[in-house]
Structures are given as structure tokens and as C-alpha cells.
Amino acid sequence: MAESPDPVIRVRGLVSRFGTQLIHDGLDMQVAAGEIFAIVGGSGTGKSVLMRTILGLRRPEAGTVEVYGRNIGALPRSELGSFVQSFGVTFQNGALISSLTVAENVQLPLREYRGVRGTALEEHSALCLAMVGLPPQSAGKYPAQLSGGMIKRAALARALALEPKLLFLDKPTAGLDPISAAAFDELLLYLHARLGLTVVMITHDLDTLFRTCDRIGVILDGAMLCGTPSGLAANPQPWIQAYFHGPRARAAAGEGHG
Amino acid sequence: MPRHPPTDEPGVSSLALEGGGGAWRLVLGGDWSARELGPLRVLIDALPPTLPGAVTCDWSAAESPGIGPTWALLNHLARACASPLSVQHLNPPRHIAFLEDLRAGGGTAPHPAEAGGAGRPVERLGRWVLAQSEQTRLFAEFLGRIITVLGRAVLHPRALRVPSLTRHLYETGVTAIPIVSLIAFLISVIVAYLGAQQLRLFGADIFVVDLIAISVLREMGVLLTAIIVAGRSGSAFAAEIGVMRLNEETDALQAMGMDPIELLVVPRVLALILALPLLTVIADAMGIAGGGLLAHFQLHIPWPQFIGRLHAAIAPTTFWAGLIKAPVFAALIGLVGTYRGMRVRDSARELGRLTTLAVVQSIFLVIFADALFAILYVRLDF
């Protein structure tokens, strides 16, 4: 893997351990500015653990995690909070606050961290909803009244509310029908191009991988193997072959001989 | 790509309006990033409400302009200027075209608040009555479903779900013993202590025993136990079932052909009906013991005299008058708790609201039922 001069995320020699169970064993990973990077791996290989470690929600047993040149593991708790605010994060099931409307969910971080009030708040949440393609009338709805696709978009709007340069998405298209998932891919590319975002996502959606990602990192035996989607697909490693050339993969890769 | 967060301190955000009479010039300076949205918004709101003529925005000195502040400025200009064509941007940030596209798509259309306003008093009363009658209907349906399960249990005892029943018997009964004992003991000591102060005035200290025996056995033992159990188990029932509702676990059970009432509600209610009388017996014993200890150490009434007086004070019905109430109270607490749990939907706030309601209503119903029992006992001379 080429050393990019000034990566947004640089993970070196990461070791994560739960009791005697070793999850990551000297994992290295780099994400360059402006990239869309996907983390893939089988169940239990520590994709979510890696993301939580990068977000500072978990301290690594060994190794360093640098985001924008700052060592997340060494940041004091008081600074960690304000540093993490400069990332946008969406969770698999949206994690919208169920007792607040969509607009109030989007306004929550602004109200809390920026001291924005009144019509400014309304205008900004309208902007965030418009950016993710939600109709204005969805602003007054509660999460329980939204479809799965709209929940993902509302969660993305909330993640964008503080205008992050770095966006983490946990399985952004899981549970969506293919049309909504494809629409979400296009939305991501659209926002990525216009806002200059760096995106790190965990996904198993092969369509999303091939459509949106610049590079993919596969977690194998506690380490990471990085490459472009087409480059990795040519890797002879058995798990990667099974992943990219299984019956479900061929159609997504457009090989068409399945 | 600018490093983020910025290493050098950015300048103070500024927005200056120059010129006039049809040719305006807005000069933006300092930090225009998203972090400054609050202060920038104040600057933007301070601009004149209308700007007739041509407006030029000079972005050259604005540092890392964010989307939020840009959006706020564009919105203001759209309101203030006669036509969008009269606004020119100098060195604009690259996202400005994107934001103007969004504006063109009606991104700022005001969203109406969800319906459900106050309305007129008569309308509100009508809605309230409808809501209450719906509640009553739903509760009747809930009761009916429980009775159906009990009816089924007569033919197929498996419907009683004994393993589940024993678990709830343990959780609502056995684990409540320490707190119920402690409260019954302490309250009884307090009543005996205060009662003795008054009775001593008449030289009738010994009647403290009557006071304790009758008040604990008839009223306080069962009432205190019921209130403690309503707080402990009524809330637990509502919260447990409510979370299962939020996770769609009850729907999953139904989809597998199982009855959530049979699996979740009936074992809890039955366990409580069995546990509360047993707890009441313990509370009665602890109450008498508390009164006895106080009488012994504070009033110096010897044990034989205390026990003799106790026998004289307790009529055959005294103990049963209290204990009969326990299953009734238990049914009220169990039904209200599980019913409220089954009504939870959609949100975490609803879960909290209904759990609170379950505790408040079950305590109220317990006290109300106690009042009815009091009247009934007087009429029956029980």
C-alpha cells in the first residue's frame, strides 16, 4: 500500500483484545483525505471494534490511532469529546432519538454544541434535510413514522449537522431495498463530491462497495489487507475470493457470467 | 484539504455592509466556519431587511466558509433582494452552487408542525372523552384475553407456564422480603412509639399492643406491602414488557403463534397474586415484632404480658381482614403494570411515561380499593 503523505486516519500496529480473545493483532490502516474507504470482514473480525477505536469509544490494548495527526488513544477525555464532534457518525439502525422529531434530532448537536437558537436552527435543519433529500414535511415526523430508507437519511442529516469533514457510516444500506440502497449510494457520492468528505464505512453491500468505494480494507486474521475493489477481487486469498466471487458477488461486480 | 481542526487561530468573524443606493457590497472576513454559526447568524440578522439594487458578496477574506453560515447568508439575501440575479459572489466557496441548487429545490420551505394543537375547550373535552372510552374498551379487551388464557389453563395446565411463574414468584416475592420486612418493622416501631406517648397521658400504655396488632394486621401490613410491590414490580412489569414491545418481541411471539398474554402477562399477574399474600404475612410478623420490641425496651412491658394482651386484642377475623385484601391488591398492581407495558409503542419517552403511569395508577387503585374494603368491613361488621 502506498504511504499517502498526509492521511486523515493512520492506524499502526493496533491490538484489540477481549480477555483472551485477540481481535486485532497489529492492524495497519490508512485513509487519505477525500477517500471513500470501506471496511469489510467476516462476522466477529472486529469491524465495529475498529470503528469504535477510531472514534475514541474504546482504548486500544496496543498500537496508535491517529486522526488528523492526533493520537486518539492519548487524548484526555475532556478533549476527546470536542475532537470527536468534528466527525459525523451514523449507526446501523439510525439511532435517532425516538422521542424527538426528525428536525429536532438534526438540531440536537447544533443546539448542544453551537448555541444556535430559534429560526437559525430551523433553517439549518431544513438545509441538512434538503442535503440528504428528505422532503420538508418529514421534519415534523417522529422516527417511528419513517421508512427504513428515510431513517438512514435522517441519521445522515444529523451526522452532517456539524459539518464534519470525516464521516463514519455503519452499514449504511443494511435493511434497505435495492432501490433505496442504490439511491443512498448516489446520495453518498453526491455529498462526497460537493462537500469534500472523507468517508469510512462498514458495509457488506457489494453494490455499494463497487459503486462508491475508492479503496477497501479487508480484516483477515486480525490484520488488514487494503486495495481497490478490482485489485482486491483479483487477490488469490481464499476468503477474499469467496467474498468477491461468491454467487451474490458476480452480479454486483458486473462480471455477468454467474 | 485544510487540516482539521485548524492549527492556527482564525480571525474574528465579521460581516461589513458598504455602499448604498442600489449598489451594495458585503465584505465577509474572519472565521466563517460552521463552528461560528451562532455568532455569524447574529451578524446576518443585523443586516437591513431589504437591499434594493445589486449586491456583491466578497468572500475573499472569509476563512474556511462552512455550509451553515453560507446557507444562512443566502437565505437572508434571497429574502432581502429583489431578484436572485442581482446578487454577485466574489471568490465564493465551492459549495455555493450546491446550496443554490438546494434553495431552488425549495429547501427552506417551512415545515408545518405536526397536527394536534390545543383546539377549543369543548373539542378538547370531546377528544378526552373519546380517548377515555377507547382506553376502557382496550382494558376490557385486555382483561378478556387474560380470562381466556385462564380458561384455557383449566383444560391444559401447560398454559399456566409454571417455569415462568416461578421465576416471577422469585423476583416479585422472594427478593422483596428484605425491603418489605424492614419497612413494616420501622413503621410499626414509629406508630408504637408515637402512640405510646399519647396513651401514657391516660395511663393506658398497655393499649399500645392493641394499637399495633389491629393497625398492622388490618391495614398497614397489607397496604405498605402493596405500595412497595407496586413501586418495585408494577414498574418492572411495565418496563420489561414495554421494552419487548419496542423491540417487536411481542410481535415475534405472535407471529410464531404464541400468545403474549399467556407468555408475558398471565405468569406475572398470577405470580404477584401468589406472592403478595405471602409477603403480607411476613410484613404482619415483622410489624408485630417491631411493636413488641418497642413495647419491651421503651415501655418496659414484659413479654408474657405483651403476648397475653396480643391474644386479647386480636379477634379471629383481624388477621384475615388484612390478608383477604392482598390478592385483590396484587391483581390490581399486576394488571395495571402489564397493561401499561403492552400499550408502549414507538418511543423511549412513551416507555417512561407509561411506566410512571403504571406505578401511579396502581398505587391509587390500591388505596381506593382499601377504602372500599374499609366500608365493606364496617357494613359486614367483619
Side-chain angles (χ1 to χ4, degrees), chain A residues 6 33 68-70 83 86 98-99 110 114 116 119-120 122-124 126-127 130-131 136 139-140 144-145 163 190-191 193-196, chain B residues 1 3-5 34-35 37-38 41 66-69 71-72 75 79 94-95 98-99 102 106-109 111-112 114 346-349:
Chain A
D6 205 12
Y68 287 109
R70 298 184 67 178
F83 188 57
S86 61
S98 55
S99 56
L110 279 168
R114 299 276 193 268
V116 184
T119 51
E122 293 288 323
E123 272 186 31
H124 195 79
L127 162 68
M131 281 202 295
Q145 298 169 291
E163 298 183 30
Y190 171 81
L191 291 174
R194 279 161 186 78
L195 302 178
Chain B
M1 179 65 47
R3 296 276 288 195
H4 191 276
R35 268 190 314 278
L37 181 58
R41 178 72 200 197
I67 306 166
W71 178 255
N75 277 334
R79 283 190 299 266
R94 70 173 189 159
H95 55 246
F98 166 51
L99 293 181
L102 285 182
T108 54
H111 53 81
E114 278 292 271
D346 295 348
S347 78
R349 177 186 286 177

Side-chain angles (χ1 to χ4, degrees), chain A residues 102-103 105-107 109-110 120-135 138 153-164 187 191 195, chain B residues 37 67-68 71 98-99 102 107-108:
Chain A
V102 170
N105 263 290
V106 174
Q107 291 163 3
L110 279 168
L121 212 50
E122 293 288 323
E123 272 186 31
H124 195 79
S125 63
L127 162 68
C128 293
L129 294 181
M131 281 202 295
V132 300
L134 280 175
S138 62
R153 281 171 189 254
L156 185 58
R158 185 175 68 178
L160 290 172
L162 292 180
E163 298 183 30
L187 171 68
L191 291 174
L195 302 178
Chain B
L37 181 58
I67 306 166
W71 178 255
F98 166 51
L99 293 181
L102 285 182
T108 54

Side-chain angles (χ1 to χ4, degrees), chain B:
Chain B
M1 179 65 47
R3 296 276 288 195
H4 191 276
T7 41
D8 50 336
E9 203 57 35
V12 177
S13 354
S14 65
L15 175 64
L17 182 65
E18 296 166 359
W24 304 92
R25 191 177 158 80
L26 274 174
V27 182
L28 292 71
D31 187 359
W32 267 72
S33 69
R35 268 190 314 278
E36 297 298 309
L37 181 58
L40 282 170
R41 178 72 200 197
V42 175
L43 293 178
I44 292 166
D45 285 342
L47 290 175
T50 54
L51 293 167
V55 179
T56 310
C57 286
D58 187 354
W59 293 83
S60 316
E63 288 167 44
S64 53
I67 306 166
T70 310
W71 178 255
L73 183 64
L74 289 181
N75 277 334
H76 187 87
L77 290 178
R79 283 190 299 266
C81 298
S83 112
L85 295 175
S86 60
V87 181
Q88 295 283 320
H89 293 283
L90 267 177
N91 291 321
R94 70 173 189 159
H95 55 246
I96 207 155
F98 166 51
L99 293 181
E100 284 184 334
D101 281 354
L102 285 182
R103 270 204 60 78
T108 54
H111 53 81
E114 278 292 271
R120 285 164 308 191
V122 179
E123 185 185 332
R124 275 207 307 253
L125 178 70
R127 285 186 190 285
W128 183 81
V129 169
L130 283 180
Q132 292 304 312
S133 54
E134 176 68 6
Q135 283 290 320
T136 313
R137 193 187 67 74
L138 286 170
F139 189 72
E141 183 191 324
F142 178 75
L143 267 184
R145 290 176 64 186
I146 290 180
I147 291 167
T148 316
V149 171
L150 291 177
R152 204 161 49 220
V154 174
L155 298 176
H156 308 283
R158 228 177 61 82
L160 274 184
R161 306 279 159 184
V162 174
S164 173
L165 189 72
T166 47
R167 179 173 81 87
H168 291 297
L169 201 53
Y170 177 78
E171 282 176 5
T172 58
V174 178
T175 59
I177 290 174
I179 183 69
V180 164
S181 310
L182 182 70
I183 301 251
F185 183 87
L186 290 179
I187 295 282
S188 164
V189 166
I190 294 167
V191 169
Y193 182 69
L194 294 178
Q197 307 292 322
Q198 301 301 315
L199 291 169
R200 184 173 288 159
L201 298 174
F202 308 102
D205 301 22
I206 189 68
F207 285 107
V208 155
V209 182
D210 297 54
L211 175 70
I212 291 298
I214 291 171
S215 64
V216 167
L217 293 186
R218 288 191 76 104
E219 282 297 326
M220 285 191 328
V222 63
L223 195 60
L224 285 173
T225 310
I227 289 173
I228 294 165
V229 166
R232 277 183 96 249
S233 304
S235 59
F237 290 177
E240 279 173 6
I241 296 180
V243 170
M244 294 183 82
R245 292 269 310 162
L246 290 181
N247 285 339
E248 298 180 315
E249 289 171 50
T250 50
D251 294 343
L253 287 175
Q254 246 166 339
M256 290 186 282
M258 288 179 262
D259 182 1
I261 300 280
E262 178 185 319
L263 259 74
L264 305 176
V265 173
V266 171
R268 284 177 169 81
V269 176
L270 281 186
L272 205 58
I273 290 175
L274 292 176
L276 196 60
L278 299 175
L279 284 172
T280 302
V281 173
I282 293 173
D284 286 353
M286 292 306 289
I288 300 282
L293 278 178
L294 187 104
H296 183 75
F297 289 108
Q298 189 76 27
L299 310 176
H300 309 294
I301 299 173
W303 285 114
Q305 200 184 346
F306 177 81
I307 290 171
R309 188 63 221 156
L310 199 59
H311 276 295
I314 301 176
T317 55
T318 311
F319 173 69
W320 292 108
L323 200 62
I324 286 170
K325 295 191 259 189
V328 177
F329 291 175
L332 290 173
I333 296 166
L335 287 175
V336 171
T338 50
Y339 173 70
R340 290 300 170 195
M342 290 296 284
R343 302 296 319 149
V344 171
R345 45 191 279 268
D346 295 348
S347 78
R349 177 186 286 177
E350 193 74 347
L351 176 66
R353 187 180 74 80
L354 288 172
T355 306
T356 310
L357 198 60
V359 176
V360 171
Q361 283 187 335
S362 52
I363 290 178
F364 166 76
L365 285 175
V366 161
I367 291 176
F368 186 71
D370 195 51
L372 294 183
F373 270 112
I375 296 168
L376 186 72
Y377 286 168
V378 168
R379 289 285 166 89
L380 294 178
D381 197 18
F382 189 61

Side-chain angles (χ1 to χ4, degrees), chain A residues 32-208:
Chain A
E35 248 186 338
I36 300 186
F37 186 93
I39 302 170
V40 304
S43 299
T45 52
K47 303 179 294 291
S48 299
V49 175
L50 177 58
M51 187 135 129
R52 288 172 57 81
T53 309
I54 297 174
L55 288 172
L57 296 171
R58 182 177 192 285
R59 302 248 153 156
E61 270 70 30
T64 56
V65 177
E66 286 176 16
V67 183
Y68 287 109
R70 298 184 67 178
N71 186 346
I72 287 277
L75 274 183
R77 207 158 270 285
S78 52
E79 280 180 49
L80 187 65
S82 60
F83 188 57
V84 169
Q85 272 173 38
S86 61
F87 314 155
V89 186
T90 72
F91 295 92
Q92 186 173 353
N93 295 319
L96 296 174
I97 311 292
S98 55
S99 56
L100 300 179
T101 64
V102 170
E104 286 167 340
N105 263 290
V106 174
Q107 291 163 3
L108 190 65
L110 279 168
R111 197 190 287 269
E112 196 69 14
Y113 298 123
R114 299 276 193 268
V116 184
R117 294 280 177 273
T119 51
L121 212 50
E122 293 288 323
E123 272 186 31
H124 195 79
S125 63
L127 162 68
C128 293
L129 294 181
M131 281 202 295
V132 300
L134 280 175
Q137 56 274 23
S138 62
K141 290 193 175 152
Y142 285 91
Q145 298 169 291
L146 298 182
S147 68
M150 289 170 88
I151 285 178
K152 303 270 187 187
R153 281 171 189 254
L156 185 58
R158 185 175 68 178
L160 290 172
L162 292 180
E163 298 183 30
K165 288 282 168 223
L166 177 55
L167 194 59
F168 291 91
L169 307 174
D170 192 355
K171 305 203 180 82
T173 54
L176 297 187
D177 65 84
I179 298 170
S180 307
F184 195 91
D185 291 347
E186 296 311 313
L187 171 68
L188 187 61
L189 286 171
Y190 171 81
L191 291 174
H192 173 254
R194 279 161 186 78
L195 302 178
L197 296 171
T198 307
V199 181
V200 177
M201 69 167 110
I202 295 174
T203 187
H204 282 307
D205 188 330
L206 289 157
D207 293 304
T208 304

